[in-house]
């Protein structure tokens, strides 16, 4: 075919029964193709590649002892890629997370299946792909911390080939500055509806410190930043981790 694949149609199945499925071979893997309109089941058909049109031509064959005289052409599905992104990564426990998978180029049909560590996400096993944008959404949330391998698999259709994409979603516990796990010295609270948790702490004292006690191997620091916010020195378990220009 024009895609560089070998195309196989029909043949004899179990008990010498004619079959009518289409498969392609890319030199490594056989892939069954989804075809809405296709020839009837048959065996011993003649097939050849027509380079001028970029199509595979099938003629005739046999079915139940009868010779067939119809002609069909095969236009290989367009290759696609699937990318997936997360609305918030890392996310926190209980937070709503929206995954968006995008098929390129935008196909004319097909569905998207979202899985988490190999298990289909609830309500996201066959999400219709938008034929204008190529996008398919899936929204979920998590009840505990951890790492999640998220995959989005596009089904493909008669004109567009299947593809898939993946990402790793991290789910953490978010701790606000009001938590007992956070301690301050000369910091004052400032109410700000745009801040995480609705408040943040500010200090005009040089070398003012704040401590956060946690168990784990990863911590993400969410803080206010700007041209007049200063430079913070970060230490974890007594080991300097350098400075952060706020």
């Amino acid at each position: 075919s024009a895609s560089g694949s070998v195309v196989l149609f029909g043949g004899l199945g179990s008990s010498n029964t004619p079959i009518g499925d289409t498969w392609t071979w890319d030199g490594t893997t056989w892939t069954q193709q989804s075809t809405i309109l296709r020839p009837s089941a048959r065996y011993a058909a003649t097939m050849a590649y027509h380079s001028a049109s970029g199509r595979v031509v099938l003629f005739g064959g046999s079915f139940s002892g009868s010779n067939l005289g119809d002609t069909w052409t095969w236009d290989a599905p367009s290759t696609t890629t699937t990318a997936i992104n997360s609305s918030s990564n890392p996310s926190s426990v209980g937070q709503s997370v929206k995954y968006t998978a995008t098929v390129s180029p935008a196909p004319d049909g097909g569905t998207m299946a979202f899985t988490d560590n190999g298990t289909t996400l609830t309500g996201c096993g066959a999400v219709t792909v938008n034929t204008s944008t190529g996008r398919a959404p899936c929204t979920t949330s998590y009840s505990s911390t951890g790492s999640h391998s998220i995959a989005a698999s596009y089904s493909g259709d008669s004109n567009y080939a299947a593809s898939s994409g993946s990402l790793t979603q991290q789910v953490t516990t978010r701790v606000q500055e009001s938590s007992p796990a956070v301690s301050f010295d000369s910091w004052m609270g400032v109410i700000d509806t745009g801040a995480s948790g609705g408040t943040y702490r500010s200090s005009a004292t040089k070398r003012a410190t704040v401590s956060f006690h946690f168990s784990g191997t990863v911590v993400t620091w969410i803080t206010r930043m700007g041209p007049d916010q200063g430079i913070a020195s970060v230490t974890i378990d007594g080991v300097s981790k350098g400075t952060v220009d706020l």
Side-chain angles (χ1 to χ4, degrees):
S1 69
S3 64
S5 298
V6 174
V7 181
L8 172 68
F9 178 81
L12 293 174
S14 60
S15 303
N16 286 330
T17 301
I19 55 179
D21 47 1
T22 303
W23 292 76
T24 56
W25 167 257
D26 62 5
T28 303
T29 306
W30 281 103
T31 302
Q32 186 171 10
Q33 300 296 325
S34 173
T35 53
I36 298 174
L37 184 64
R38 59 182 180 271
S40 59
R42 67 190 64 201
Y43 63 93
T46 300
M47 296 176 68
Y49 176 61
H50 186 242
S51 59
S53 65
R55 297 169 180 259
V56 173
V57 181
L58 178 149
F59 175 76
S62 298
F63 180 82
S64 297
S66 300
N67 293 327
L68 304 173
D70 49 353
T71 301
W72 293 78
T73 60
W74 163 260
D75 184 6
S78 299
T79 300
T80 69
T81 60
T82 294
I84 178 174
N85 63 57
S86 168
S87 60
S88 181
N89 193 9
S91 62
S92 57
V93 172
Q95 178 183 358
S96 178
V97 179
K98 181 179 180 180
Y99 298 117
T100 302
T102 303
V103 182
S104 297
D108 57 6
T111 60
M112 191 71 65
F114 293 85
T115 59
D116 180 346
N117 295 331
T119 300
T120 300
L121 286 168
T122 302
C124 299
V127 182
T128 300
V129 176
N130 186 301
T131 56
S132 297
T133 64
R135 296 175 182 171
C138 173
T139 301
T140 189
S141 63
Y142 299 93
S143 59
S144 60
T145 61
S147 178
H148 299 262
S149 178
I150 307 300
S153 301
Y154 169 57
S155 64
D157 63 12
S158 59
N159 295 317
Y160 292 85
S163 59
S164 62
S166 62
L167 60 76
T168 299
Q169 177 74 24
Q170 300 292 345
V171 182
T172 62
T173 299
R174 176 172 289 193
V175 178
Q176 301 295 349
E177 53 89 19
S178 57
S179 169
V182 184
S183 58
F184 305 87
D185 48 22
S186 60
W187 298 77
M188 298 185 64
V190 179
I191 297 176
D192 184 348
T193 57
S196 176
T199 63
Y200 68 90
R201 296 275 179 150
S202 176
S203 176
T205 303
K206 290 183 178 181
R207 299 183 181 84
T209 62
V210 57
S211 299
F212 171 47
H213 298 276
F214 70 98
S215 297
T217 58
V218 178
V219 61
T220 300
W221 177 20
I222 302 175
T223 186
R224 186 182 181 91
M225 299 183 72
D228 59 350
Q229 299 303 307
I231 296 176
S233 177
V234 180
T235 302
I236 298 180
D237 292 336
V239 179
S240 174
K241 298 299 180 179
T243 60
V244 179
D245 188 350
L246 302 176

